[in-house]
Amino acid sequence: MNVAVVGAGYVGLVTGACLAETGNNVVCADCDRDKVELLRRGQSPIYEPGLADLLARNISEGRLHFTLDAAEAVRRAELVFLAVGTPPQPDGSVDLAALWSAVDQMAPALGPETVVVLKSTVPVGTNAAVSERLAQRCGAPRVVVNNPEFLKEGTAIDDFMKPDRVVVGSRDARAADLLRELYRPYLRTDKPLLVMSPESAEMTKYAANALLAAKISFINEIAGLCEHCGADVDDVRRGIGHDSRIGFQFLFPGAGYGGSCFPKDVAALVRWAQSQGLPASMIEAVEQVNRRQKNLLADKIERHFGPRLAGAVIAVWGLSFKPGTDDIREAPSLVLIDRLLDRGARVQVFDPKAIENVRRIYGDRLRYGRHRDDVLAGADALAIVTEWKAFLHPDQAALRQLRERVIFDGRNLFDPRRIAEAGFTYYSVGRPMIAPAGSA
């Protein structure tokens, strides 16, 4: 099929590259000239495992193209995917300015049979609004369907190629059949393509992310209760996770969730409910718990050091909001860094992929390591924020460079008993603090 993707951000780029990989002719349009030039050279502007190879292969084989002209991209397309950003506004509601701009740019070039596919995450009712606007701009109705994405950063290629399900919001049978044919190569193991109303598809995306975020906030709140009463949240997590009704996915305590999806989508669902005069008490609580959780490591560090924190040197491992990506949007690491700097501490940071993104924010206010152990030299303590695999088996000799031999682990990477036996004071999440034998 001839496919256009308007918006070459995270979702648009993965969508375009994966569709090209199965033989479709794909044109991706974006308004960022530097990004388009980079992509034309076969270079990815984001880090996502496997994406660079996918881009290079499909560009060289002539199936994947990039342009600044959205109208030109859609002119010969059978399907046009709208994958522009829908960022949060200050009140948490969704900013649809980029979506309306894309609609207006492409409307004059849309053919009468072209199907417009909303891939962006949008509030309930957006499909109807886009349909109305296109009818006005085109002088006749155009078919608009929803096809929400369920990609996880770090595994997005696999998620697209091997989906749990594909959701299509459409009242038009022909449009649903087109998407069924497009996705057929990815559904060969009998995973379902679920056709529903556009409103149901729009709500499905928000409901999925809100529920996953709720699991994270739930176990984080339980972790706080465990710390208070001396229970071990890892034991509790195992005790409930083996219940087949609950399971283990997203049931790991930590320093809070971040990224471009959960914070934005949870806030957007709350604001949408409020705009409709509807209660959203549980979803509001998910937000509140996560805001509190992002301050957990800083709180522990402040309690440990007290007034000595001013002038202390804190090493930080992990800056991206999760492993497998360079994305620092809403990352818990930024909350920690800001708190430490505000208290007069000096901060030394390392991340396998996100260093440059952090450097653009903080400049020379931080010291940056090229290796995880670089930032331990001269540091008083270590804080772990992101669970990169490279942090799972640290060099004990390097860790002993820490002047106070204290570790604040925001992802429960280590066995408390073993880390204490190695001579460290160890703070984690939802587990008792543990200190070396004989320490005061």
Side-chain angles (χ1 to χ4, degrees), residues 51 66 86 93 131 152 173 185 189 201 230-231 248 252 274 282 311 328 350 371 435:
L51 181 58
F66 297 94
T86 52
S93 60
S131 299
K152 301 185 295 294
T189 56
F248 285 100
F252 292 89
Q274 292 172 342
M282 283 186 63
I328 59 170
F350 170 76
H371 184 273

Side-chain angles (χ1 to χ4, degrees), residues 121-366:
T121 301
V122 293
V124 177
T126 303
N127 181 293
V130 170
S131 299
E132 181 180 350
R133 190 159 178 144
L134 280 175
Q136 294 172 351
R137 297 291 191 272
C138 299
R142 294 291 184 269
V143 174
V144 182
V145 304
N146 290 79
N147 175 217
E149 54 85 16
F150 300 102
L151 307 178
K152 301 185 295 294
E153 293 191 40
T155 60
I157 304 300
D158 272 354
D159 291 341
F160 195 100
M161 297 289 198
K162 303 171 185 176
D164 294 322
R165 80 289 197 199
V166 173
V167 172
V168 174
S170 176
R171 293 188 178 90
D172 185 278
R174 172 181 166 272
D177 285 343
L178 272 176
L179 284 168
R180 189 175 284 108
E181 176 61 22
L182 183 73
Y183 280 108
R184 183 172 52 82
Y186 314 108
L187 301 173
R188 298 178 67 187
T189 56
D190 286 335
K191 297 296 185 181
L193 184 142
L194 306 172
V195 180
M196 58 188 71
S197 71
E199 293 79 12
S200 296
E202 289 166 338
M203 183 59 79
T204 293
K205 170 64 176 180
Y206 282 108
N209 279 353
L211 184 56
L212 295 173
K215 289 189 73 173
I216 296 171
S217 283
F218 174 82
I219 197 62
N220 281 336
E221 189 150 78
I222 292 296
L225 302 180
C226 287
E227 287 191 23
H228 179 77
C229 69
D232 186 322
V233 73
D234 281 346
D235 290 336
V236 175
R237 181 179 63 83
R238 287 190 289 270
I240 64 175
H242 283 291
D243 186 324
S244 60
R245 298 167 299 175
I246 297 172
F248 285 100
Q249 285 190 313
F250 290 85
L251 208 63
F252 292 89
Y257 61 75
S260 63
C261 293
F262 287 2
K264 173 176 75 74
D265 292 351
V266 169
L269 188 54
V270 169
R271 303 307 175 263
W272 180 84
Q274 292 172 342
S275 74
Q276 305 299 307
L278 300 171
S281 304
M282 283 186 63
I283 309 166
E284 289 177 19
V286 170
E287 265 193 309
Q288 293 164 6
V289 171
N290 195 58
R291 280 197 295 269
R292 184 172 70 235
Q293 200 71 14
K294 285 185 176 182
N295 283 281
L296 180 71
L297 280 182
D299 291 342
K300 290 176 182 286
I301 292 171
E302 286 190 12
R303 283 195 296 269
H304 177 87
F305 281 94
R308 296 183 298 115
L309 185 55
V313 180
I314 309 298
V316 175
W317 280 359
L319 303 170
S320 57
F321 85 93
K322 63 178 285 188
T325 180
D326 61 355
D327 195 343
I328 59 170
R329 286 174 287 183
E330 299 286 341
S333 63
L334 305 186
V335 175
L336 174 62
I337 290 169
D338 287 343
R339 284 272 301 272
L340 292 175
L341 292 176
D342 285 346
R343 300 305 187 272
R346 289 180 289 158
V347 184
Q348 306 180 163
V349 299
F350 170 76
D351 187 279
K353 296 296 178 183
I355 283 286
E356 293 309 313
N357 289 337
V358 168
R359 195 194 304 271
R360 280 192 281 271
I361 296 175
Y362 293 97
D364 59 6
R365 298 169 65 197
L366 307 177

